[in-house]
Coordinates of all heavy atoms in Angstrom, one line a residue:
A163 N 281.6 -163.6 121.5 CA 282.2 -162.5 122.2 C 281.2 -161.4 122.4 O 281.1 -160.8 123.5 CB 283.4 -162.0 121.5
I164 N 280.4 -161.1 121.4 CA 279.4 -160.0 121.6 C 278.3 -160.4 122.6 O 277.8 -159.5 123.3 CB 278.8 -159.6 120.2 CG1 279.9 -159.0 119.4 CG2 277.6 -158.8 120.3 CD1 279.5 -158.6 118.0
R165 N 277.9 -161.6 122.6 CA 276.9 -162.0 123.6 C 277.3 -161.8 125.0 O 276.5 -161.3 125.8 CB 276.5 -163.5 123.4 CG 275.4 -163.9 124.4 CD 274.7 -165.1 124.0 NE 273.8 -164.8 122.9 CZ 273.3 -165.7 122.1 NH1 273.5 -167.0 122.3 NH2 272.5 -165.4 121.1
K166 N 278.6 -162.1 125.3 CA 279.1 -161.8 126.7 C 279.0 -160.3 127.0 O 278.5 -160.0 128.1 CB 280.5 -162.3 126.8 CG 281.2 -162.0 128.1 CD 282.6 -162.4 128.2 CE 283.5 -161.5 127.3 NZ 284.9 -161.7 127.5
L167 N 279.3 -159.5 126.1 CA 279.2 -158.0 126.3 C 277.8 -157.6 126.5 O 277.4 -156.8 127.3 CB 279.9 -157.3 125.1 CG 281.4 -157.5 125.0 CD1 281.9 -156.8 123.7 CD2 282.1 -157.0 126.2
W168 N 276.9 -158.2 125.7 CA 275.5 -157.9 125.7 C 274.9 -158.3 127.1 O 274.2 -157.5 127.7 CB 274.7 -158.5 124.6 CG 273.3 -158.3 124.6 CD1 272.6 -157.2 124.2 CD2 272.3 -159.3 125.0 NE1 271.2 -157.4 124.4 CE2 271.0 -158.6 124.8 CE3 272.3 -160.6 125.4 CZ2 269.8 -159.3 125.2 CZ3 271.2 -161.2 125.7 CH2 269.9 -160.6 125.6
V169 N 275.2 -159.5 127.5 CA 274.7 -160.0 128.8 C 275.2 -159.1 129.9 O 274.5 -158.7 130.8 CB 275.0 -161.5 129.0 CG1 274.7 -161.9 130.4 CG2 274.2 -162.3 128.0
H170 N 276.5 -158.8 129.9 CA 277.1 -157.9 130.8 C 276.4 -156.6 130.9 O 276.0 -156.1 132.0 CB 278.6 -157.6 130.5 CG 279.1 -156.4 131.1 ND1 279.2 -155.2 130.4 CD2 279.6 -156.1 132.3 CE1 279.7 -154.3 131.1 NE2 280.0 -154.8 132.3
N171 N 276.1 -156.0 129.8 CA 275.4 -154.7 129.7 C 274.0 -154.8 130.3 O 273.6 -153.9 131.0 CB 275.4 -154.2 128.3 CG 275.3 -152.7 128.2 OD1 275.8 -152.0 129.0 ND2 274.6 -152.2 127.1
C172 N 273.3 -155.8 129.9 CA 271.9 -156.0 130.4 C 271.9 -156.2 132.0 O 271.1 -155.6 132.7 CB 271.3 -157.2 129.8 SG 270.9 -157.0 128.0
I173 N 272.9 -157.0 132.5 CA 273.0 -157.2 133.9 C 273.3 -155.9 134.6 O 272.7 -155.5 135.6 CB 274.0 -158.3 134.2 CG1 273.4 -159.7 133.8 CG2 274.3 -158.3 135.7 CD1 274.4 -160.8 133.9
R174 N 274.3 -155.2 134.1 CA 274.7 -153.9 134.7 C 273.5 -152.9 134.7 O 273.2 -152.3 135.8 CB 275.8 -153.3 133.9 CG 276.3 -152.0 134.5 CD 277.5 -151.5 133.7 NE 277.7 -150.1 133.9 CZ 278.3 -149.6 135.0 NH1 278.7 -150.4 136.0 NH2 278.5 -148.3 135.2
F175 N 272.7 -152.8 133.6 CA 271.6 -152.0 133.6 C 270.6 -152.4 134.7 O 270.1 -151.6 135.5 CB 270.9 -152.0 132.2 CG 269.6 -151.2 132.2 CD1 269.7 -149.8 131.9 CD2 268.4 -151.8 132.4 CE1 268.6 -149.1 131.8 CE2 267.2 -151.0 132.3 CZ 267.3 -149.7 132.0
G176 N 270.3 -153.7 134.8 CA 269.4 -154.2 135.8 C 269.8 -153.9 137.2 O 269.0 -153.5 138.1
L177 N 271.1 -154.1 137.5 CA 271.6 -153.8 138.8 C 271.6 -152.4 139.2 O 271.5 -152.0 140.3 CB 273.1 -154.4 138.9 CG 273.2 -155.9 138.9 CD1 274.7 -156.3 138.9 CD2 272.5 -156.6 140.0
L178 N 271.6 -151.5 138.2 CA 271.5 -150.1 138.4 C 270.1 -149.6 138.8 O 269.9 -148.7 139.6 CB 272.0 -149.3 137.2 CG 273.5 -149.3 137.0 CD1 273.8 -148.6 135.7 CD2 274.3 -148.7 138.1
Y179 N 269.1 -150.3 138.2 CA 267.8 -149.8 138.3 C 266.7 -150.7 139.1 O 265.8 -150.1 139.6 CB 267.2 -149.4 136.9 CG 267.9 -148.3 136.3 CD1 268.9 -148.5 135.4 CD2 267.6 -147.0 136.6 CE1 269.6 -147.4 134.8 CE2 268.3 -145.9 136.1 CZ 269.3 -146.2 135.1 OH 270.0 -145.1 134.6
L180 N 266.9 -152.0 139.1 CA 265.9 -152.8 139.6 C 266.0 -152.9 141.2 O 267.1 -152.7 141.8 CB 266.1 -154.3 139.0 CG 265.8 -154.4 137.6 CD1 266.2 -155.8 137.1 CD2 264.4 -154.1 137.2
S181 N 264.9 -153.4 141.8 CA 264.9 -153.7 143.2 C 265.8 -154.9 143.4 O 266.2 -155.6 142.5 CB 263.5 -154.0 143.6 OG 263.0 -155.2 143.0
E182 N 266.0 -155.2 144.7 CA 266.8 -156.4 145.0 C 266.1 -157.7 144.5 O 266.8 -158.5 143.8 CB 267.0 -156.5 146.5 CG 267.9 -157.6 146.9 CD 268.1 -157.7 148.4 OE1 268.0 -156.7 149.1 OE2 268.5 -158.8 148.9
L183 N 264.8 -157.8 144.7 CA 264.1 -158.9 144.1 C 264.1 -159.0 142.6 O 264.3 -160.0 142.0 CB 262.7 -158.9 144.6 CG 261.8 -160.1 144.4 CD1 262.5 -161.4 144.9 CD2 260.5 -160.0 145.0
G184 N 264.0 -157.8 142.0 CA 264.1 -157.7 140.5 C 265.5 -158.1 140.0 O 265.6 -158.8 139.0
C185 N 266.5 -157.7 140.8 CA 267.9 -158.1 140.4 C 268.0 -159.6 140.4 O 268.6 -160.2 139.5 CB 268.9 -157.5 141.3 SG 269.1 -155.7 141.1
L186 N 267.5 -160.3 141.5 CA 267.6 -161.7 141.6 C 266.8 -162.4 140.4 O 267.3 -163.4 139.8 CB 267.1 -162.2 142.9 CG 267.9 -161.8 144.1 CD1 267.2 -162.1 145.4 CD2 269.3 -162.4 144.1
Q187 N 265.7 -161.9 140.1 CA 264.9 -162.4 139.0 C 265.7 -162.3 137.7 O 265.7 -163.2 136.9 CB 263.6 -161.7 138.9 CG 262.6 -162.1 137.8 CD 261.4 -161.3 137.7 OE1 261.5 -160.1 137.9 NE2 260.3 -161.9 137.4
M188 N 266.3 -161.2 137.5 CA 267.0 -160.9 136.3 C 268.3 -161.8 136.2 O 268.5 -162.4 135.1 CB 267.5 -159.5 136.2 CG 268.4 -159.2 135.1 SD 269.4 -157.7 135.3 CE 270.3 -158.0 136.8
L189 N 269.0 -162.0 137.3 CA 270.2 -162.8 137.3 C 269.8 -164.3 137.0 O 270.5 -165.0 136.3 CB 270.9 -162.7 138.6 CG 271.6 -161.4 138.8 CD1 272.1 -161.2 140.2 CD2 272.8 -161.2 137.8
R190 N 268.7 -164.7 137.6 CA 268.2 -166.1 137.3 C 267.9 -166.3 135.9 O 268.3 -167.3 135.2 CB 267.0 -166.4 138.2 CG 266.5 -167.8 138.1 CD 265.4 -168.2 139.0 NE 264.3 -167.2 139.0 CZ 264.0 -166.4 140.0 NH1 264.6 -166.5 141.1 NH2 263.0 -165.6 139.9
Y191 N 267.3 -165.3 135.3 CA 266.9 -165.4 133.8 C 268.2 -165.5 133.0 O 268.3 -166.4 132.1 CB 266.1 -164.2 133.4 CG 266.0 -164.1 131.9 CD1 265.1 -164.9 131.2 CD2 266.8 -163.3 131.2 CE1 265.0 -164.9 129.8 CE2 266.8 -163.3 129.8 CZ 265.9 -164.1 129.1 OH 265.8 -164.0 127.8
Y192 N 269.1 -164.6 133.2 CA 270.4 -164.6 132.3 C 271.2 -165.9 132.6 O 271.8 -166.4 131.7 CB 271.2 -163.4 132.5 CG 270.5 -162.2 131.8 CD1 269.9 -161.2 132.4 CD2 270.6 -162.2 130.4 CE1 269.3 -160.2 131.7 CE2 270.0 -161.2 129.7 CZ 269.3 -160.2 130.3 OH 268.7 -159.2 129.6
A193 N 271.2 -166.4 133.8 CA 272.0 -167.6 134.1 C 271.4 -168.8 133.4 O 272.1 -169.6 132.9 CB 272.0 -167.9 135.6
R194 N 270.1 -168.8 133.3 CA 269.4 -170.0 132.6 C 269.5 -169.8 131.1 O 269.6 -170.7 130.4 CB 268.0 -170.1 133.0 CG 267.8 -170.6 134.4 CD 266.4 -170.7 134.8 NE 266.2 -171.3 136.2 CZ 265.1 -171.3 136.8 NH1 264.0 -170.8 136.3 NH2 265.1 -171.9 138.0
A195 N 269.3 -168.6 130.6 CA 269.2 -168.3 129.2 C 270.6 -168.4 128.5 O 270.7 -168.8 127.4 CB 268.6 -167.0 128.9
F196 N 271.6 -168.0 129.2 CA 273.0 -167.8 128.6 C 274.0 -168.5 129.5 O 275.0 -167.8 130.0 CB 273.3 -166.4 128.3 CG 272.3 -165.7 127.5 CD1 271.4 -164.8 128.0 CD2 272.2 -166.0 126.1 CE1 270.4 -164.2 127.2 CE2 271.3 -165.4 125.3 CZ 270.4 -164.5 125.8
P197 N 273.9 -169.7 129.9 CA 274.9 -170.3 130.8 C 276.3 -170.3 130.4 O 277.2 -170.3 131.2 CB 274.4 -171.8 131.0 CG 273.6 -172.0 129.7 CD 273.0 -170.7 129.3
Q198 N 276.5 -170.2 129.1 CA 277.9 -170.2 128.5 C 278.6 -168.9 128.7 O 279.9 -168.9 128.7 CB 277.9 -170.6 127.0 CG 277.3 -169.6 126.1 CD 275.7 -169.6 126.0 OE1 275.1 -170.3 126.8 NE2 275.2 -168.9 125.1
V199 N 277.9 -167.8 129.0 CA 278.6 -166.5 129.1 C 278.3 -165.8 130.4 O 278.8 -164.8 130.7 CB 278.2 -165.6 128.0 CG1 278.7 -166.1 126.6 CG2 276.8 -165.2 127.9
I200 N 277.5 -166.5 131.3 CA 277.1 -165.8 132.5 C 278.3 -165.5 133.5 O 278.4 -164.4 134.0 CB 276.0 -166.5 133.3 CG1 275.4 -165.7 134.5 CG2 276.5 -167.9 133.8 CD1 274.6 -164.5 134.0
Q201 N 279.2 -166.5 133.6 CA 280.4 -166.3 134.5 C 281.3 -165.1 134.0 O 281.6 -164.2 134.8 CB 281.1 -167.6 134.7 CG 280.4 -168.6 135.5 CD 280.1 -168.1 136.9 OE1 280.9 -167.3 137.5 NE2 279.0 -168.5 137.5
P202 N 281.7 -165.1 132.7 CA 282.5 -164.0 132.3 C 281.8 -162.6 132.3 O 282.4 -161.6 132.6 CB 282.9 -164.3 130.8 CG 282.4 -165.7 130.5 CD 281.6 -166.1 131.7
A203 N 280.5 -162.7 132.0 CA 279.7 -161.4 132.1 C 279.6 -160.9 133.5 O 279.8 -159.7 133.8 CB 278.3 -161.6 131.5
L204 N 279.4 -161.8 134.5 CA 279.4 -161.4 135.9 C 280.7 -160.9 136.4 O 280.8 -160.0 137.2 CB 278.9 -162.5 136.8 CG 277.4 -162.8 136.7 CD1 277.1 -164.1 137.5 CD2 276.6 -161.7 137.1
A205 N 281.8 -161.5 135.9 CA 283.2 -161.0 136.2 C 283.4 -159.6 135.7 O 283.9 -158.8 136.4 CB 284.2 -162.0 135.6
M206 N 282.9 -159.3 134.5 CA 283.0 -157.9 134.0 C 282.1 -157.0 134.9 O 282.6 -155.8 135.2 CB 282.5 -157.9 132.6 CG 283.4 -158.6 131.6 SD 282.6 -158.7 129.9 CE 282.6 -157.0 129.5
V207 N 281.0 -157.4 135.3 CA 280.1 -156.5 136.2 C 280.9 -156.3 137.5 O 280.9 -155.2 138.0 CB 278.8 -157.2 136.4 CG1 278.0 -156.5 137.5 CG2 277.9 -157.2 135.2
N208 N 281.5 -157.3 138.0 CA 282.2 -157.2 139.3 C 283.4 -156.2 139.2 O 283.7 -155.6 140.2 CB 282.7 -158.6 139.7 CG 283.2 -158.6 141.1 OD1 282.6 -158.1 142.0 ND2 284.3 -159.3 141.3
Q209 N 284.0 -156.1 138.0 CA 285.1 -155.2 137.9 C 284.7 -153.8 137.6 O 285.5 -152.9 137.5 CB 286.0 -155.7 136.7 CG 286.7 -157.0 137.0 CD 287.4 -157.6 135.8 OE1 287.3 -157.1 134.7 NE2 288.0 -158.7 136.0
S210 N 283.4 -153.6 137.4 CA 282.9 -152.2 137.1 C 282.5 -151.4 138.4 O 282.7 -151.9 139.5 CB 281.6 -152.4 136.2 OG 280.5 -152.7 137.0
D211 N 282.0 -150.2 138.2 CA 281.6 -149.3 139.2 C 280.1 -149.4 139.5 O 279.5 -148.4 140.0 CB 282.0 -147.9 138.9 CG 281.3 -147.4 137.7 OD1 280.7 -148.2 136.9 OD2 281.3 -146.1 137.5
V212 N 279.5 -150.5 139.2 CA 278.1 -150.6 139.2 C 277.5 -150.2 140.6 O 276.5 -149.5 140.6 CB 277.6 -152.0 138.8 CG1 277.9 -153.1 139.8 CG2 276.1 -152.0 138.5
W213 N 278.1 -150.6 141.7 CA 277.5 -150.3 143.0 C 277.6 -148.8 143.4 O 276.7 -148.2 143.9 CB 278.1 -151.2 144.1 CG 277.9 -152.6 143.8 CD1 278.9 -153.6 143.5 CD2 276.7 -153.3 143.5 NE1 278.3 -154.8 143.2 CE2 277.0 -154.6 143.2 CE3 275.3 -152.9 143.6 CZ2 276.0 -155.6 142.9 CZ3 274.3 -153.9 143.4 CH2 274.6 -155.2 143.0
E214 N 278.8 -148.2 143.0 CA 278.9 -146.8 143.2 C 277.9 -146.0 142.4 O 277.3 -145.0 142.8 CB 280.4 -146.3 143.0 CG 281.4 -146.9 143.9 CD 281.9 -148.3 143.5 OE1 281.6 -148.8 142.4 OE2 282.6 -148.8 144.3
R215 N 277.8 -146.4 141.1 CA 276.9 -145.8 140.2 C 275.4 -145.9 140.7 O 274.6 -145.0 140.5 CB 277.1 -146.4 138.8 CG 276.3 -145.7 137.8 CD 276.8 -144.3 137.4 NE 275.9 -143.7 136.4 CZ 275.4 -142.5 136.5 NH1 275.7 -141.7 137.5 NH2 274.6 -142.1 135.6
R216 N 275.1 -147.1 141.2 CA 273.7 -147.3 141.7 C 273.4 -146.3 142.8 O 272.3 -145.7 142.8 CB 273.6 -148.7 142.2 CG 272.1 -149.0 142.7 CD 272.0 -150.5 143.2 NE 270.7 -150.7 143.8 CZ 269.7 -151.4 143.3 NH1 269.8 -151.9 142.1 NH2 268.6 -151.5 144.0
V217 N 274.3 -146.1 143.7 CA 274.1 -145.1 144.8 C 274.0 -143.7 144.2 O 273.1 -143.0 144.7 CB 275.3 -145.1 145.8 CG1 275.2 -144.0 146.8 CG2 275.3 -146.5 146.6
Q218 N 274.8 -143.3 143.3 CA 274.6 -142.0 142.6 C 273.3 -141.8 142.0 O 272.6 -140.8 142.1 CB 275.7 -141.8 141.6 CG 277.1 -141.7 142.1 CD 278.1 -141.6 141.0 OE1 277.9 -142.0 139.8 NE2 279.3 -141.2 141.3
L219 N 272.8 -142.9 141.3 CA 271.5 -142.8 140.6 C 270.4 -142.7 141.6 O 269.4 -141.9 141.4 CB 271.3 -144.0 139.7 CG 272.1 -144.0 138.4 CD1 272.0 -145.3 137.7 CD2 271.6 -142.9 137.5
E220 N 270.5 -143.4 142.7 CA 269.4 -143.4 143.7 C 269.3 -142.0 144.3 O 268.2 -141.6 144.7 CB 269.7 -144.4 144.8 CG 269.4 -145.9 144.4 CD 269.8 -146.9 145.4 OE1 270.5 -146.6 146.4 OE2 269.5 -148.1 145.2
N221 N 270.4 -141.3 144.4 CA 270.4 -140.0 145.0 C 269.9 -138.9 144.1 O 269.6 -137.8 144.5 CB 271.8 -139.6 145.5 CG 272.2 -140.5 146.7 OD1 271.3 -140.9 147.5 ND2 273.5 -140.8 146.9
C222 N 269.9 -139.1 142.8 CA 269.6 -138.0 141.9 C 268.4 -138.2 140.9 O 268.0 -137.3 140.3 CB 270.8 -137.6 141.1 SG 271.3 -138.8 139.8
R223 N 268.0 -139.5 140.7 CA 266.9 -139.7 139.7 C 265.6 -139.1 140.2 O 265.3 -139.2 141.4 CB 266.8 -141.1 139.3 CG 266.4 -142.1 140.3 CD 266.3 -143.5 139.8 NE 266.0 -144.4 140.8 CZ 266.7 -145.5 141.0 NH1 267.6 -145.9 140.2 NH2 266.4 -146.2 142.1
V224 N 264.8 -138.7 139.3 CA 263.5 -138.1 139.6 C 262.4 -139.2 139.7 O 261.6 -139.1 140.6 CB 263.1 -137.1 138.5 CG1 261.7 -136.5 138.7 CG2 264.1 -136.0 138.4
R225 N 262.5 -140.2 138.8 CA 261.5 -141.3 138.8 C 262.2 -142.6 139.0 O 263.3 -142.8 138.5 CB 260.7 -141.2 137.6 CG 259.8 -140.0 137.4 CD 258.9 -140.1 136.2 NE 258.0 -139.0 136.2 CZ 258.1 -137.9 135.5 NH1 259.2 -137.8 134.8 NH2 257.2 -137.0 135.6
S226 N 261.5 -143.5 139.6 CA 262.1 -144.9 139.8 C 261.9 -145.7 138.6 O 261.1 -145.4 137.7 CB 261.4 -145.6 141.0 OG 260.1 -145.9 140.7
F227 N 262.7 -146.8 138.5 CA 262.5 -147.7 137.4 C 261.1 -148.3 137.4 O 260.5 -148.6 136.4 CB 263.6 -148.8 137.5 CG 263.5 -149.8 136.3 CD1 263.9 -149.4 135.0 CD2 263.0 -151.1 136.5 CE1 263.8 -150.3 134.0 CE2 263.0 -151.9 135.4 CZ 263.4 -151.5 134.2
H228 N 260.6 -148.5 138.6 CA 259.2 -149.1 138.7 C 258.2 -148.1 138.1 O 257.2 -148.6 137.5 CB 258.9 -149.4 140.2 CG 257.6 -150.2 140.4 ND1 257.6 -151.5 140.0 CD2 256.4 -149.9 140.8 CE1 256.4 -152.0 140.2 NE2 255.6 -151.0 140.7
W229 N 258.4 -146.8 138.3 CA 257.5 -145.9 137.6 C 257.6 -146.1 136.1 O 256.5 -146.1 135.4 CB 257.9 -144.4 137.9 CG 257.1 -143.4 137.2 CD1 256.0 -142.8 137.6 CD2 257.4 -142.9 135.9 NE1 255.5 -142.0 136.6 CE2 256.3 -142.0 135.6 CE3 258.4 -143.1 134.9 CZ2 256.3 -141.3 134.3 CZ3 258.3 -142.4 133.7 CH2 257.3 -141.5 133.4
F230 N 258.8 -146.2 135.6 CA 259.0 -146.4 134.1 C 258.2 -147.7 133.6 O 257.5 -147.7 132.6 CB 260.5 -146.5 133.9 CG 260.8 -146.7 132.4 CD1 260.9 -145.7 131.5 CD2 261.2 -148.0 131.9 CE1 261.3 -145.8 130.2 CE2 261.5 -148.2 130.6 CZ 261.6 -147.1 129.8
V231 N 258.4 -148.8 134.4 CA 257.7 -150.0 134.1 C 256.2 -149.9 134.1 O 255.5 -150.3 133.1 CB 258.1 -151.1 135.0 CG1 257.3 -152.4 134.9 CG2 259.6 -151.5 134.8
D232 N 255.7 -149.2 135.1 CA 254.2 -149.0 135.2 C 253.7 -148.1 134.1 O 252.7 -148.3 133.5 CB 253.8 -148.4 136.6 CG 253.9 -149.4 137.7 OD1 254.0 -150.7 137.4 OD2 254.0 -149.0 138.8
H233 N 254.4 -147.0 133.9 CA 254.0 -146.0 132.9 C 253.9 -146.6 131.5 O 253.0 -146.2 130.7 CB 255.0 -144.8 132.9 CG 254.6 -143.7 132.0 ND1 253.6 -142.8 132.3 CD2 255.1 -143.3 130.8 CE1 253.5 -141.9 131.3 NE2 254.4 -142.2 130.4
F234 N 254.9 -147.4 131.1 CA 254.9 -148.0 129.8 C 254.3 -149.4 129.7 O 254.3 -150.0 128.7 CB 256.3 -148.0 129.2 CG 256.8 -146.6 128.9 CD1 257.7 -146.0 129.8 CD2 256.3 -145.9 127.8 CE1 258.1 -144.7 129.6 CE2 256.8 -144.6 127.6 CZ 257.7 -144.0 128.5
G235 N 253.8 -149.9 130.8 CA 253.1 -151.2 130.9 C 254.1 -152.4 130.5 O 253.6 -153.3 129.8
L236 N 255.3 -152.3 130.9 CA 256.3 -153.4 130.5 C 256.1 -154.6 131.3 O 255.6 -154.6 132.5 CB 257.7 -152.8 130.8 CG 258.1 -151.6 130.0 CD1 259.5 -151.1 130.4 CD2 257.9 -151.7 128.5
K237 N 256.4 -155.7 130.7 CA 256.4 -157.1 131.3 C 257.7 -157.8 131.1 O 258.5 -157.4 130.3 CB 255.3 -157.9 130.7 CG 253.9 -157.4 130.7 CD 253.3 -157.4 132.1 CE 251.9 -156.8 132.1 NZ 251.5 -156.6 133.5
N238 N 258.0 -158.8 131.9 CA 259.2 -159.6 131.7 C 259.1 -160.5 130.5 O 258.2 -160.4 129.7 CB 259.6 -160.3 133.0 CG 258.7 -161.5 133.3 OD1 257.9 -161.9 132.5 ND2 258.8 -162.1 134.5
Q239 N 260.1 -161.3 130.3 CA 260.2 -162.1 129.1 C 259.1 -163.1 128.9 O 258.8 -163.5 127.8 CB 261.6 -162.9 129.1 CG 262.8 -162.0 129.0 CD 263.2 -161.4 130.3 OE1 262.6 -161.6 131.4 NE2 264.3 -160.7 130.3
I240 N 258.4 -163.5 130.0 CA 257.3 -164.4 129.9 C 256.0 -163.8 130.1 O 255.0 -164.4 130.4 CB 257.5 -165.7 130.7 CG1 257.7 -165.3 132.2 CG2 258.7 -166.5 130.2 CD1 257.8 -166.5 133.2
G241 N 255.9 -162.4 130.1 CA 254.7 -161.7 130.2 C 254.2 -161.4 131.6 O 253.1 -161.0 131.8
E242 N 255.0 -161.6 132.6 CA 254.7 -161.4 133.9 C 255.2 -160.0 134.4 O 256.0 -159.4 133.7 CB 255.2 -162.5 134.8 CG 254.6 -163.9 134.5 CD 255.2 -165.0 135.4 OE1 256.3 -164.8 136.0 OE2 254.6 -166.1 135.4
A243 N 254.8 -159.6 135.6 CA 255.2 -158.3 136.1 C 256.7 -158.3 136.4 O 257.3 -159.4 136.8 CB 254.4 -158.1 137.4
I244 N 257.3 -157.2 136.2 CA 258.7 -157.0 136.5 C 258.7 -156.6 138.0 O 258.1 -155.7 138.4 CB 259.4 -155.9 135.6 CG1 259.4 -156.4 134.2 CG2 260.7 -155.6 136.1 CD1 259.9 -155.4 133.2
L245 N 259.5 -157.3 138.8 CA 259.5 -157.1 140.2 C 260.4 -155.9 140.6 O 261.3 -155.6 139.9 CB 260.1 -158.3 140.9 CG 259.3 -159.6 140.7 CD1 259.9 -160.8 141.4 CD2 257.8 -159.5 141.2

């Protein structure tokens, strides 16, 4: 039960901050890594305010998520660039 909540939270965070291509990369990763909980986690995301919140964040944030990734030198799970 906790894994479903964790995957939901990770997906929601990604949908709030990542580019469209980054979102697709993230969703592919979670679908492959956690096939047993991806559907319920996505259902929870679908019931949330993620898209309204994304618009709010885009209108008020000072720095982009890409700036954050570059500034701290972050990589994805296999050591490649985060899109």
Side-chain angles (χ1 to χ4, degrees):
I164 290 176
R165 180 162 287 163
K166 176 180 72 170
L167 296 173
W168 177 76
V169 170
H170 157 264
N171 205 33
C172 292
I173 290 172
R174 181 176 162 78
F175 178 84
L177 292 175
L178 289 174
Y179 292 99
L180 295 174
S181 67
E182 184 176 337
L183 189 55
C185 288
L186 293 172
Q187 180 185 38
M188 174 201 58
L189 290 170
R190 183 175 51 246
Y191 168 78
Y192 283 107
R194 288 180 177 171
F196 305 103
Q198 68 281 9
V199 298
I200 191 69
Q201 289 299 329
L204 288 174
M206 291 172 65
V207 169
N208 191 46
Q209 294 171 355
S210 75
D211 66 343
V212 69
W213 302 118
E214 293 85 7
R215 184 72 181 130
R216 182 178 171 109
V217 170
Q218 289 174 343
L219 287 170
E220 287 174 350
N221 291 329
C222 71
R223 68 177 171 228
V224 176
R225 294 186 173 98
S226 69
F227 183 72
H228 193 68
W229 175 92
F230 180 81
V231 169
D232 287 343
H233 183 76
F234 292 102
L236 302 177
K237 302 289 181 192
N238 70 12
Q239 294 83 357
I240 58 173
E242 296 177 346
I244 295 175
L245 302 176

